[in-house]
Amino acid sequence: MTEPIVLAHDFGTTGNKATLFTPSGKLLARHYCPYATDYPNPGWAEQSPDDWKNAFVESTASVLAEAGLNENQIAGVTFSAHMLGCIPVDDHGTVLRDRVLLWADHRSQEQTKTIERRIGWEPFYRRTGGGLELALYPAAKLLWLKENEPDLYRRAHLFVGTKDLLVHWLTGRFVTDYSDASNTGLFDLAERHWAEDFIRILKLDLAKFPEEILPSPTVVGTITAQAADETGLAEGTPVVLGGGDVPCAAVGAGVVTEGTAYNYIGSASWVAVAGREGAFDTQMRPFNLCHLVPDMYVSQLATYSAGVVHAWVKDQICLAETRDAGTSGESPFDRMDRVARASDPGSNGLLFLPHMRGGGAPFHNLDSRGAFLGLHLGHSRADILRAVLEGISVNIGLLCEALQEGTQRPFDELRVIGGGARSSTWMDILANTVERPILTLAASQEANCLGAAMTAFVALGCFDDFIQAADTMIDVEQRIEPDPSKRDVYRELSQLFRDAYEQVTPIHARLGRVKHKSAEDCP
């Protein structure tokens, strides 16, 4: 008997990935379609929902062609997508803004003061699970829209998340799942419904939030005739709700039981642990989301400077590796790895602070910057490349430390997914900085899509629960143990990292205020 096939899409920060999975975990096809992000002002980040729809159509057609399938062979469609969105739509689902605020947009810094004044940091944190960088949350973004674009706010029928907009496009239904709802800053995490009193206190409108909040493994409808014409999929194909990218990644990493943890290394990086309750500490460090697994939560800390920094080094420093890779067909990152391996642990006394994109744990400083410290003429290219990997890894190690302290959930190993998991050099460094075994997965590059596909197969009745789905669909590829002989080096590096951050923070703050001469001031 032929296995059912699920089409799972993951809408990320830089593009959409479409995949076709079977319930045995076989990946039949994948296609990545990039789209642009606009940064019209400092702290602003916007994308076009039209680009998402175009990417959906292109990538869907590509995976069907690659797998040699037609639209009638798809048993279901589902989504993983970036979170923290507040997309204004009318009652037909038409988006009312050409470019919508992306998760990384933090223009609403001033509006966070309103939330702090009317609600208070600790009540907000304890009730909603929201993290310290409140400007990223729809709670603050909606206040900004209401104050700065009042006509748009008034005309909006609803404000929805990324995947929820796409679900409406396919089915005509306005719904959301618990994971996306729990990342708005306006959701009661324990009671699992909108925090109506918070919404009222902030003078927002409850009617502008999706009324239906459903479990992620829910068949919310089928593809309409109009959507079939627009997408090339078959009318009547079931659509499974899916979830936000963070909990989808947790499912795709096999983090579906109490106390299991994973690290995602993409443009940003986060460490997350699963639990039966949200995790809160006195320093308000871990932020909490509803898991895709019913009645479970994901508690996490995130840094925004990870793979994006490694890519910057490739583009700005490793021109030779990029050029040579282009002619040989090899990845430039593989060439960079080989160079970095020539340097010993500690990078010959070179320390790198990776905070080239401000914000994120463990310091939560939007004004932080990157830095090399200890650079001298004896340093080599290998030292520089290894220091970059060590700096990002030490920062991830600090996330692990703070997460374990904040959640009181010790985790003995760390599953790693995302592009960074491809680098054996990086994974060796990471194992030693976090002082835990690292597990890489066969589908680490497609973990978000895999998690969404597992959710669909649970919804479609192929599995009884997520544990059964994980046991069947996830393959551990490699286990990397920490090297005890390197422990002291990396512990000292971690302490130096903390001290260096504290010392250079005032300098970075001053640098941020430096005004350069404009072109007209130049002779």
Side-chain angles (χ1 to χ4, degrees):
M1 182 177 177
T2 304
E3 286 189 298
I5 299 165
V6 158
L7 170 64
H9 283 266
D10 174 42
F11 284 83
T13 303
T14 58
N16 170 52
K17 182 181 290 183
T19 56
L20 294 172
F21 277 101
T22 70
S24 62
K26 185 176 181 180
L27 175 63
L28 301 179
R30 60 186 167 190
H31 181 80
Y32 180 75
C33 183
Y35 39 71
T37 301
D38 285 346
Y39 301 94
N41 290 302
W44 294 29
E46 300 178 346
Q47 286 184 350
S48 168
D50 285 342
D51 288 346
W52 304 340
K53 292 183 178 182
N54 292 336
F56 179 95
V57 173
E58 177 187 322
S59 56
T60 294
S62 294
V63 290
L64 288 175
E66 180 183 336
L69 300 174
N70 64 58
E71 66 275 15
N72 294 304
Q73 293 172 277
I74 301 301
V77 182
T78 192
F79 295 99
S80 161
H82 47 51
M83 308 178 78
L84 297 163
C86 52
I87 303 162
V89 297
D90 66 15
D91 56 358
H92 298 292
T94 302
V95 180
L96 302 179
R97 206 175 191 272
D98 290 340
R99 309 197 71 79
V100 298
L101 279 61
L102 191 63
W103 68 268
D105 191 298
H106 55 268
R107 71 186 68 182
S108 55
Q109 291 287 342
E110 195 64 30
Q111 285 68 34
T112 66
K113 298 175 184 177
T114 300
I115 298 174
E116 183 177 7
R117 185 175 64 253
R118 294 181 184 176
I119 295 175
W121 281 117
E122 187 164 355
F124 172 84
Y125 174 67
R126 298 283 173 184
R127 184 84 169 279
T128 71
L132 291 174
E133 288 167 27
L134 184 52
L136 302 179
Y137 282 83
K141 291 172 178 172
L142 287 171
L143 287 174
W144 188 93
L145 287 170
K146 185 177 181 181
E147 293 171 15
N148 292 275
E149 300 180 9
D151 183 59
L152 179 142
Y153 181 87
R154 179 187 56 78
R155 290 188 297 118
H157 172 63
L158 290 174
F159 290 92
V160 299
T162 303
K163 71 144 190 358
D164 303 328
L165 175 69
L166 296 163
V167 166
H168 180 272
W169 176 43
L170 297 186
T171 69
R173 286 189 68 185
F174 284 122
V175 297
T176 191
D177 79 310
Y178 289 109
S179 72
D180 260 323
S182 68
N183 210 28
T184 59
L186 296 167
F187 185 79
D188 189 309
L189 201 66
E191 298 298 326
R192 296 204 170 208
H193 57 61
W194 296 118
E196 295 184 20
D197 53 339
F198 281 10
I199 293 171
R200 184 173 61 254
I201 289 168
L202 296 175
K203 300 181 180 179
L204 297 170
D205 299 295
L206 179 63
K208 294 184 182 294
F209 296 87
E211 184 177 357
E212 288 191 276
I213 306 173
L214 303 172
S216 303
T218 298
V219 177
V220 296
T222 59
I223 291 178
T224 64
Q226 180 178 341
D229 288 340
E230 293 176 357
T231 64
L233 291 169
E235 181 181 357
T237 303
V239 177
V240 176
L241 184 52
D245 54 1
V246 173
C248 277
V251 172
V255 176
V256 296
T257 56
E258 178 92 24
T260 51
Y262 81 100
N263 171 215
Y264 172 81
I265 305 178
S267 173
S269 180
W270 60 77
V271 181
V273 59
R276 288 289 171 190
E277 297 178 345
F280 304 90
D281 76 344
T282 56
Q283 298 179 58
M284 297 186 285
R285 290 177 295 184
F287 58 97
N288 300 275
L289 307 172
C290 292
H291 207 314
L292 305 193
V293 181
D295 301 321
M296 287 193 71
Y297 297 86
V298 177
S299 303
Q300 74 171 94
L301 287 170
T303 179
Y304 308 141
S305 297
V308 68
V309 176
H310 200 211
W312 180 89
V313 172
K314 173 183 73 70
D315 294 338
Q316 303 299 327
I317 297 176
C318 296
L319 304 184
E321 285 80 6
T322 301
R323 181 198 62 225
D324 295 344
T327 59
S328 69
E330 184 183 15
S331 164
F333 292 112
D334 291 340
R335 288 179 172 263
M336 290 163 63
D337 264 13
R338 286 204 299 273
V339 175
R341 281 199 291 271
S343 178
D344 292 329
S347 303
N348 194 21
L350 182 61
L351 178 68
F352 177 65
L353 300 181
H355 309 126
M356 296 178 70
R357 183 162 64 179
F363 304 114
H364 299 288
N365 179 3
L366 289 169
D367 296 321
S368 60
R369 295 190 179 195
F372 282 102
L373 293 96
L375 194 63
H376 58 73
L377 292 176
H379 280 126
S380 67
R381 197 174 175 75
D383 295 327
I384 291 172
L385 295 186
R386 185 178 186 94
V388 168
L389 296 178
E390 288 182 336
I392 299 170
S393 298
V394 167
N395 202 64
I396 292 171
L398 296 180
L399 300 192
C400 290
E401 183 181 315
L403 185 63
Q404 185 163 288
E405 288 177 1
T407 62
Q408 295 298 302
R409 291 179 193 147
F411 43 94
D412 297 329
E413 61 186 25
L414 192 64
R415 293 173 173 238
V416 182
I417 59 175
R422 295 175 55 193
S423 167
S424 59
T425 304
W426 198 342
M427 292 303 95
D428 178 70
I429 291 170
L430 187 63
N432 288 297
T433 54
V434 304
E435 298 189 25
R436 292 173 176 83
I438 296 296
L439 276 64
T440 62
L441 310 176
S444 65
Q445 293 278 73
E446 286 79 34
N448 289 19
C449 287
L450 177 58
M454 291 163 62
T455 305
F457 285 125
V458 170
L460 295 170
C462 298
F463 299 111
D464 294 334
D465 54 31
F466 282 95
I467 296 175
Q468 186 184 44
D471 288 344
T472 304
M473 295 186 68
I474 295 175
D475 291 324
V476 174
E477 188 171 64
Q478 191 176 12
R479 181 183 178 93
I480 302 105
E481 298 284 347
D483 183 345
S485 70
K486 300 175 183 177
R487 181 178 300 146
D488 291 344
V489 172
Y490 283 108
R491 285 184 178 179
E492 182 179 10
L493 196 65
S494 179
Q495 187 56 56
L496 284 169
F497 187 100
R498 295 172 187 267
D499 294 343
Y501 170 80
E502 295 296 335
Q503 293 293 323
V504 302
T505 290
I507 296 172
H508 285 164
R510 290 172 62 188
L511 284 170
R513 295 192 293 270
V514 170
K515 303 295 182 184
H516 296 284
K517 285 186 178 181
S518 62
E520 57 266 26
D521 292 332
C522 297

